[in-house]
mmCIF file of all heavy atoms in Angstrom:
data_model
loop_
_atom_site.group_PDB
_atom_site.id
_atom_site.type_symbol
_atom_site.label_atom_id
_atom_site.label_comp_id
_atom_site.label_asym_id
_atom_site.label_seq_id
_atom_site.Cartn_x
_atom_site.Cartn_y
_atom_site.Cartn_z
ATOM 1 N N ALA A 199 6.029 16.464 9.063
ATOM 2 C CA ALA A 199 4.863 15.648 9.424
ATOM 3 C C ALA A 199 5.173 14.321 9.506
ATOM 4 O O ALA A 199 6.216 13.737 9.118
ATOM 5 C CB ALA A 199 3.858 15.877 8.234
ATOM 6 N N GLU A 200 4.259 13.514 10.259
ATOM 7 C CA GLU A 200 4.337 12.010 10.292
ATOM 8 C C GLU A 200 3.181 11.517 9.491
ATOM 9 O O GLU A 200 1.993 11.630 9.906
ATOM 10 C CB GLU A 200 4.292 11.575 11.770
ATOM 11 C CG GLU A 200 4.454 10.121 11.947
ATOM 12 C CD GLU A 200 4.614 9.694 13.325
ATOM 13 O OE1 GLU A 200 5.587 9.630 13.887
ATOM 14 O OE2 GLU A 200 3.529 9.306 13.932
ATOM 15 N N LEU A 201 3.599 10.762 8.477
ATOM 16 C CA LEU A 201 2.628 10.178 7.562
ATOM 17 C C LEU A 201 2.565 8.700 7.893
ATOM 18 O O LEU A 201 3.600 7.976 8.350
ATOM 19 C CB LEU A 201 3.015 10.238 6.128
ATOM 20 C CG LEU A 201 3.323 11.704 5.682
ATOM 21 C CD1 LEU A 201 3.724 11.724 4.228
ATOM 22 C CD2 LEU A 201 2.072 12.502 5.978
ATOM 23 N N HIS A 202 1.385 7.933 7.720
ATOM 24 C CA HIS A 202 1.210 6.551 8.065
ATOM 25 C C HIS A 202 0.722 5.854 6.701
ATOM 26 O O HIS A 202 -0.078 6.371 5.998
ATOM 27 C CB HIS A 202 0.097 6.362 9.114
ATOM 28 C CG HIS A 202 0.633 6.767 10.575
ATOM 29 N ND1 HIS A 202 1.173 5.890 11.436
ATOM 30 C CD2 HIS A 202 0.835 8.051 10.943
ATOM 31 C CE1 HIS A 202 1.533 6.497 12.481
ATOM 32 N NE2 HIS A 202 1.434 7.969 12.268
ATOM 33 N N VAL A 203 1.326 4.735 6.458
ATOM 34 C CA VAL A 203 0.953 4.008 5.306
ATOM 35 C C VAL A 203 0.614 2.666 5.621
ATOM 36 O O VAL A 203 1.269 1.866 6.435
ATOM 37 C CB VAL A 203 2.057 4.004 4.091
ATOM 38 C CG1 VAL A 203 3.312 3.467 4.766
ATOM 39 C CG2 VAL A 203 1.657 3.279 2.824
ATOM 40 N N GLY A 204 -0.546 2.043 4.996
ATOM 41 C CA GLY A 204 -0.800 0.634 5.270
ATOM 42 C C GLY A 204 -2.333 0.482 5.197
ATOM 43 O O GLY A 204 -3.118 1.375 4.949
ATOM 44 N N ALA A 205 -2.782 -0.805 5.444
ATOM 45 C CA ALA A 205 -4.123 -1.071 5.451
ATOM 46 C C ALA A 205 -4.941 -0.289 6.573
ATOM 47 O O ALA A 205 -4.412 -0.184 7.581
ATOM 48 C CB ALA A 205 -4.473 -2.608 5.660
ATOM 49 N N GLY A 206 -6.012 0.354 6.139
ATOM 50 C CA GLY A 206 -6.767 1.175 7.060
ATOM 51 C C GLY A 206 -6.452 2.616 7.131
ATOM 52 O O GLY A 206 -6.968 3.332 7.815
ATOM 53 N N PHE A 207 -5.326 3.076 6.315
ATOM 54 C CA PHE A 207 -4.908 4.447 6.337
ATOM 55 C C PHE A 207 -5.213 5.004 5.019
ATOM 56 O O PHE A 207 -5.491 4.242 3.996
ATOM 57 C CB PHE A 207 -3.447 4.514 6.649
ATOM 58 C CG PHE A 207 -3.096 3.949 7.988
ATOM 59 C CD1 PHE A 207 -2.784 2.885 8.242
ATOM 60 C CD2 PHE A 207 -3.149 5.051 9.097
ATOM 61 C CE1 PHE A 207 -2.508 2.330 9.636
ATOM 62 C CE2 PHE A 207 -2.817 4.689 10.426
ATOM 63 C CZ PHE A 207 -2.480 3.331 10.655
ATOM 64 N N ALA A 208 -5.314 6.367 4.984
ATOM 65 C CA ALA A 208 -5.587 6.973 3.613
ATOM 66 C C ALA A 208 -4.505 6.702 2.643
ATOM 67 O O ALA A 208 -4.757 6.595 1.485
ATOM 68 C CB ALA A 208 -5.645 8.476 3.916
ATOM 69 N N LEU A 209 -3.224 6.595 3.075
ATOM 70 C CA LEU A 209 -2.125 6.153 2.157
ATOM 71 C C LEU A 209 -2.027 4.596 2.264
ATOM 72 O O LEU A 209 -1.631 4.071 3.306
ATOM 73 C CB LEU A 209 -0.861 6.838 2.634
ATOM 74 C CG LEU A 209 -0.860 8.473 2.483
ATOM 75 C CD1 LEU A 209 0.378 8.953 3.105
ATOM 76 C CD2 LEU A 209 -1.111 8.851 1.174
ATOM 77 N N ARG A 210 -2.268 3.946 1.177
ATOM 78 C CA ARG A 210 -2.285 2.552 1.297
ATOM 79 C C ARG A 210 -1.097 1.808 0.617
ATOM 80 O O ARG A 210 -0.651 0.679 0.827
ATOM 81 C CB ARG A 210 -3.579 1.992 0.638
ATOM 82 C CG ARG A 210 -4.785 2.371 1.425
ATOM 83 C CD ARG A 210 -6.142 1.784 0.777
ATOM 84 N NE ARG A 210 -6.093 0.364 0.898
ATOM 85 C CZ ARG A 210 -6.529 -0.372 1.930
ATOM 86 N NH1 ARG A 210 -7.043 0.297 3.001
ATOM 87 N NH2 ARG A 210 -6.530 -1.758 1.917
ATOM 88 N N THR A 211 -0.338 2.654 -0.200
ATOM 89 C CA THR A 211 0.719 2.128 -0.915
ATOM 90 C C THR A 211 2.002 2.872 -0.747
ATOM 91 O O THR A 211 1.911 4.069 -0.395
ATOM 92 C CB THR A 211 0.374 1.956 -2.434
ATOM 93 O OG1 THR A 211 0.468 3.396 -3.044
ATOM 94 C CG2 THR A 211 -0.715 1.281 -2.834
ATOM 95 N N LEU A 212 3.206 2.310 -0.828
ATOM 96 C CA LEU A 212 4.434 2.988 -0.599
ATOM 97 C C LEU A 212 4.527 4.225 -1.662
ATOM 98 O O LEU A 212 5.035 5.317 -1.373
ATOM 99 C CB LEU A 212 5.476 2.090 -0.801
ATOM 100 C CG LEU A 212 5.654 0.913 0.078
ATOM 101 C CD1 LEU A 212 6.946 -0.007 -0.139
ATOM 102 C CD2 LEU A 212 5.746 1.411 1.606
ATOM 103 N N ALA A 213 4.003 3.921 -2.885
ATOM 104 C CA ALA A 213 4.097 4.982 -3.965
ATOM 105 C C ALA A 213 3.318 6.219 -3.488
ATOM 106 O O ALA A 213 3.571 7.267 -3.784
ATOM 107 C CB ALA A 213 3.702 4.416 -5.303
ATOM 108 N N GLN A 214 2.139 5.938 -2.911
ATOM 109 C CA GLN A 214 1.268 6.976 -2.523
ATOM 110 C C GLN A 214 1.970 7.857 -1.520
ATOM 111 O O GLN A 214 1.979 9.157 -1.489
ATOM 112 C CB GLN A 214 -0.121 6.566 -2.033
ATOM 113 C CG GLN A 214 -0.909 6.023 -3.110
ATOM 114 C CD GLN A 214 -2.239 5.408 -2.535
ATOM 115 O OE1 GLN A 214 -2.255 4.890 -1.377
ATOM 116 N NE2 GLN A 214 -3.237 5.304 -3.312
ATOM 117 N N ALA A 215 2.574 7.136 -0.485
ATOM 118 C CA ALA A 215 3.256 7.762 0.524
ATOM 119 C C ALA A 215 4.405 8.584 0.080
ATOM 120 O O ALA A 215 4.807 9.661 0.536
ATOM 121 C CB ALA A 215 3.731 6.682 1.580
ATOM 122 N N ALA A 216 5.187 8.076 -0.827
ATOM 123 C CA ALA A 216 6.408 8.732 -1.340
ATOM 124 C C ALA A 216 5.934 9.953 -2.186
ATOM 125 O O ALA A 216 6.645 11.012 -2.159
ATOM 126 C CB ALA A 216 7.183 7.779 -2.372
ATOM 127 N N ALA A 217 4.839 9.886 -2.868
ATOM 128 C CA ALA A 217 4.359 11.228 -3.504
ATOM 129 C C ALA A 217 3.936 12.183 -2.596
ATOM 130 O O ALA A 217 3.921 13.388 -2.857
ATOM 131 C CB ALA A 217 3.260 10.759 -4.401
ATOM 132 N N GLU A 218 3.424 11.877 -1.343
ATOM 133 C CA GLU A 218 2.970 12.746 -0.372
ATOM 134 C C GLU A 218 4.033 13.331 0.470
ATOM 135 O O GLU A 218 3.941 14.454 0.939
ATOM 136 C CB GLU A 218 1.942 12.029 0.414
ATOM 137 C CG GLU A 218 1.152 13.074 1.482
ATOM 138 C CD GLU A 218 0.209 13.760 0.721
ATOM 139 O OE1 GLU A 218 -0.233 13.649 -0.358
ATOM 140 O OE2 GLU A 218 -0.320 14.835 1.505
ATOM 141 N N ALA A 219 5.061 12.454 0.712
ATOM 142 C CA ALA A 219 6.095 12.894 1.743
ATOM 143 C C ALA A 219 6.924 14.043 1.271
ATOM 144 O O ALA A 219 7.422 14.126 0.020
ATOM 145 C CB ALA A 219 7.017 11.719 2.101
ATOM 146 N N LYS A 220 7.255 14.947 2.229
ATOM 147 C CA LYS A 220 8.239 16.100 1.914
ATOM 148 C C LYS A 220 9.500 16.037 2.689
ATOM 149 O O LYS A 220 9.493 15.265 3.601
ATOM 150 C CB LYS A 220 7.465 17.371 2.170
ATOM 151 C CG LYS A 220 6.229 17.558 1.524
ATOM 152 C CD LYS A 220 6.333 17.834 -0.043
ATOM 153 C CE LYS A 220 5.056 18.277 -0.686
ATOM 154 N NZ LYS A 220 3.924 17.285 -0.482
ATOM 155 N N SER A 221 10.407 16.778 2.338
ATOM 156 C CA SER A 221 11.641 16.748 3.154
ATOM 157 C C SER A 221 11.404 17.148 4.597
ATOM 158 O O SER A 221 10.716 18.097 4.856
ATOM 159 C CB SER A 221 12.688 17.629 2.549
ATOM 160 O OG SER A 221 13.855 17.635 3.204
ATOM 161 N N GLY A 222 11.992 16.244 5.416
ATOM 162 C CA GLY A 222 11.765 16.341 6.900
ATOM 163 C C GLY A 222 10.670 15.539 7.427
ATOM 164 O O GLY A 222 10.603 15.397 8.619
ATOM 165 N N ASP A 223 9.938 15.036 6.526
ATOM 166 C CA ASP A 223 8.712 14.042 7.080
ATOM 167 C C ASP A 223 9.271 12.696 7.451
ATOM 168 O O ASP A 223 10.161 12.073 6.896
ATOM 169 C CB ASP A 223 7.617 13.887 5.844
ATOM 170 C CG ASP A 223 6.817 15.296 5.633
ATOM 171 O OD1 ASP A 223 6.968 16.153 6.508
ATOM 172 O OD2 ASP A 223 6.139 15.266 4.704
ATOM 173 N N THR A 224 8.402 12.057 8.379
ATOM 174 C CA THR A 224 8.582 10.607 8.742
ATOM 175 C C THR A 224 7.428 9.832 8.165
ATOM 176 O O THR A 224 6.329 10.159 8.535
ATOM 177 C CB THR A 224 8.852 10.444 10.208
ATOM 178 O OG1 THR A 224 10.106 11.129 10.650
ATOM 179 C CG2 THR A 224 8.997 8.975 10.454
ATOM 180 N N VAL A 225 7.759 8.669 7.508
ATOM 181 C CA VAL A 225 6.669 7.827 6.969
ATOM 182 C C VAL A 225 6.762 6.558 7.797
ATOM 183 O O VAL A 225 7.768 5.880 7.949
ATOM 184 C CB VAL A 225 6.823 7.600 5.439
ATOM 185 C CG1 VAL A 225 5.697 6.674 5.042
ATOM 186 C CG2 VAL A 225 6.852 8.702 4.667
ATOM 187 N N VAL A 226 5.604 6.385 8.661
ATOM 188 C CA VAL A 226 5.483 5.108 9.413
ATOM 189 C C VAL A 226 4.772 4.121 8.600
ATOM 190 O O VAL A 226 3.705 4.283 8.089
ATOM 191 C CB VAL A 226 4.771 5.390 10.740
ATOM 192 C CG1 VAL A 226 4.629 4.151 11.476
ATOM 193 C CG2 VAL A 226 5.363 6.545 11.532
ATOM 194 N N VAL A 227 5.655 2.977 8.304
ATOM 195 C CA VAL A 227 5.051 1.935 7.521
ATOM 196 C C VAL A 227 4.592 0.724 8.438
ATOM 197 O O VAL A 227 5.248 0.157 9.222
ATOM 198 C CB VAL A 227 6.180 1.270 6.643
ATOM 199 C CG1 VAL A 227 5.737 0.206 5.800
ATOM 200 C CG2 VAL A 227 6.850 2.369 5.787
ATOM 201 N N HIS A 228 3.213 0.512 8.287
ATOM 202 C CA HIS A 228 2.537 -0.538 9.180
ATOM 203 C C HIS A 228 2.683 -1.915 8.594
ATOM 204 O O HIS A 228 2.885 -2.097 7.345
ATOM 205 C CB HIS A 228 1.064 -0.081 9.353
ATOM 206 C CG HIS A 228 0.876 1.106 10.249
ATOM 207 N ND1 HIS A 228 0.748 1.045 11.535
ATOM 208 C CD2 HIS A 228 0.954 2.443 9.851
ATOM 209 C CE1 HIS A 228 0.634 2.338 12.071
ATOM 210 N NE2 HIS A 228 0.866 3.148 11.059
#
């Protein structure tokens, strides 16, 4: 999956994104 983190997204903190991300995922940091 591609996850997005930043203002205006469901994931607003890096910690939230890290808790959600699984192996193989890409996290796009805005």
